[in-house]
Amino acid sequence: MIAMKVEIENAAIELEPARSLRLKGAAGVRIVCRSGIVWVTQEGVLRDDFLSPGEALTLRSRGVTLVQGMGRALISIEARPRMDAATATLSALPVAG
């Protein structure tokens, strides 16, 4: 598994197939889908979200949120002003073969 921790400010991230973005403590962060289809699941939130290009979602969970492209996707992450320390980890998921 490849992991990369980044500080969240305002970032554009390309999600390749079989990669996910793990956010923790990111309530108030806004995810914007720029291309592709993006799946978002938040700890403690019963409904998962799917974003199409141009759609956005403001995260509600202070727990773990996973963001994954359904194929190749491009997202923007927009942090709320004076955001508490939140971390993001981009990791490769095992590919069944």
Side-chain angles (χ1 to χ4, degrees):
M1 176 163 95
I2 301 168
M4 172 180 62
K5 289 194 175 186
V6 295
E7 291 295 321
I8 300 174
E9 289 182 18
N10 292 320
I13 298 173
E14 184 173 353
L15 297 173
E16 295 184 21
R19 292 222 183 240
S20 66
L21 179 67
R22 181 181 186 271
L23 302 165
K24 185 170 182 179
V29 168
R30 188 169 183 246
I31 305 291
V32 181
C33 179
R34 301 292 177 192
S35 67
I37 302 295
V38 178
W39 168 63
V40 181
T41 186
Q42 303 177 67
E43 182 178 348
V45 176
L46 296 178
R47 187 185 100 187
D48 289 353
D49 292 282
F50 290 87
L51 305 178
S52 297
E55 295 181 331
L57 174 68
T58 300
L59 302 180
R60 296 182 286 160
S61 177
R62 294 190 186 282
V64 174
T65 296
L66 295 177
V67 182
Q68 184 171 352
M70 308 305 291
R72 190 175 299 266
L74 179 65
I75 62 169
S76 293
I77 299 176
E78 300 171 356
R80 67 182 185 267
R82 293 180 294 168
M83 191 172 123
D84 298 333
T87 59
T89 304
L90 183 62
S91 58
L93 299 175
V95 177

